[in-house]
Amino acid sequence: MNPDFALTVPSEVELESALRLKTVQYFVTQRPWLDLYGKHVRPVAPFGSASRRSYVDPALIHRSLPDELLFEVFVRMDPYDLGRASCVCRKWRYTIRNPVFWRTACLKAWQLSGLVENYKVLQSKYEGSWRKMWLLRPRVRTNGLYVSRNTYIRAGVAEWKITNPVHIVCYFRYLRFFPSGRFLYKNSSQKIKDAAKFMNFRASKADCVFGGHYTLSDNKVEAAVLYPGMRPTVLRIRLRLRGTTAGANNRMDLLSLVTSGVDDNEASGPEEDILGVVEGWQDDETHNPDVPAVSHKRGLTPFVFVPFEEVETSDLNLPVEKMDYYVPG
């Protein structure tokens, strides 16, 4: 007995043809909403409404500054300033979301990795978003100083054998990084507002500012700086980047601090990449018997990042009498 409704099963060839047709239709289908990306669309008011007249932006800066000039202003801004500017209004927020700004910032921050490697990391880890890469990928900040505040107690001179005074000694380690792979190091008792003036390559030898090279691998920083003199000494620094918030990169944990001796042939000049010379050395390795290798266990307080615009008002300028110990967080 034949059923009322016969079920026709399509062949494998027919299914494959239908699937291919649907795929072609998917790719050729027009999507007009994609043309609206990056544009501010104002909803249309009802017919006869007073709001149907030509729209004029009420903000004076938007009426006097064309979008092309606004774009040029944003291109020349620091990424952290872009973040602050995005809080001004909705128009600025959507404009700053343009990937061009974040691509420029990322390629400058990780220029040591190379263009090809940066694009590979972008696609494999950050879904092709330059802004996401800027926020989540560890990087060293170059718009300020990393400061480590260290203190120790030193015994004073007894007076009349009645009192036994002690002194709290405070000193700082300063690091300033550059995108080119170079950095500056200074160890001083000067407050940050005074030391920031000398943290540049024009500083003299009397300012005790030494230059070196660094590498960044994930969140690990390897750095080395050469102390010139009769017995050249190299300072090897290992750091770990972290942040108090996403994208901050405002803390550096000092993992190790080792001083070793180098011979005269290895220390040919201050411009030499001393990091490449000491790469692969053990912590107890030295190439000058007069300068033994020393792994320092004191003065390893984490580094705190201070932007240049905050060096005058930073809490690190407070004297020991007002802040005997500083918690980096």
Side-chain angles (χ1 to χ4, degrees), residues 146-209:
Y146 285 94
V147 187
S148 174
R149 185 180 188 270
N150 300 273
T151 56
Y152 66 92
I153 297 177
R154 178 176 62 85
V157 179
E159 299 178 358
W160 302 98
K161 296 183 179 181
I162 299 176
T163 60
N164 189 14
V166 294
H167 303 282
I168 300 179
V169 182
C170 178
Y171 67 96
F172 302 87
R173 302 185 194 274
Y174 296 102
L175 293 173
R176 181 183 178 183
F177 294 92
F178 295 87
S180 60
R182 301 192 63 187
F183 79 103
L184 295 175
Y185 175 81
K186 181 178 176 64
N187 193 359
S188 173
S189 60
Q190 291 179 312
K191 301 294 188 295
I192 183 174
K193 62 180 180 181
D194 300 321
K197 305 173 185 177
F198 307 105
M199 295 298 291
N200 54 70
F201 288 105
R202 300 184 302 271
S204 62
K205 293 183 179 180
D207 299 325
C208 297
V209 178

Side-chain angles (χ1 to χ4, degrees), residues 131-319:
R131 184 174 177 272
K132 187 176 181 180
M133 178 176 173
W134 174 264
L135 291 175
L136 301 180
R137 187 179 179 183
R139 71 185 182 284
V140 291
R141 297 180 59 173
T142 58
N143 60 329
L145 302 177
Y146 285 94
V147 187
S148 174
R149 185 180 188 270
N150 300 273
T151 56
Y152 66 92
I153 297 177
R154 178 176 62 85
V157 179
E159 299 178 358
W160 302 98
K161 296 183 179 181
I162 299 176
T163 60
N164 189 14
V166 294
H167 303 282
I168 300 179
V169 182
C170 178
Y171 67 96
F172 302 87
R173 302 185 194 274
Y174 296 102
L175 293 173
R176 181 183 178 183
F177 294 92
F178 295 87
S180 60
R182 301 192 63 187
F183 79 103
L184 295 175
Y185 175 81
K186 181 178 176 64
N187 193 359
S188 173
S189 60
Q190 291 179 312
K191 301 294 188 295
I192 183 174
K193 62 180 180 181
D194 300 321
K197 305 173 185 177
F198 307 105
M199 295 298 291
N200 54 70
F201 288 105
R202 300 184 302 271
S204 62
K205 293 183 179 180
D207 299 325
C208 297
V209 178
F210 302 95
H213 293 78
Y214 75 93
T215 59
L216 175 64
S217 178
D218 196 12
N219 65 338
K220 300 295 191 302
V221 179
E222 295 276 347
V225 60
L226 178 66
Y227 288 117
M230 297 297 295
R231 296 187 299 179
T233 305
V234 61
L235 176 66
R236 291 177 285 163
I237 310 172
R238 293 188 181 94
L239 304 145
R240 180 177 58 230
L241 263 171
R242 60 183 176 90
T244 54
T245 58
N249 295 291
N250 53 357
R251 297 291 187 272
M252 273 190 178
D253 295 325
L254 191 52
L255 302 180
S256 67
L257 192 66
V258 181
T259 53
S260 305
V262 294
D263 56 31
D264 296 334
N265 297 329
E266 294 173 328
S268 58
E271 298 297 328
E272 184 183 359
D273 185 4
I274 191 64
L275 181 60
V277 175
V278 301
E279 186 177 4
W281 284 21
Q282 301 297 324
D283 289 345
D284 57 349
E285 183 175 352
T286 181
H287 289 193
N288 189 344
D290 297 332
V291 183
V294 178
S295 180
H296 300 272
K297 302 302 181 183
R298 296 184 179 181
L300 302 182
T301 305
F303 285 84
V304 177
F305 183 79
V306 180
F308 286 124
E309 60 268 18
E310 299 179 8
V311 294
E312 295 290 339
T313 59
S314 174
D315 293 338
L316 295 172
N317 291 311
L318 294 176

Side-chain angles (χ1 to χ4, degrees), residues 44-49 52:
V44 180
F47 182 82
S49 174
R52 285 189 64 87

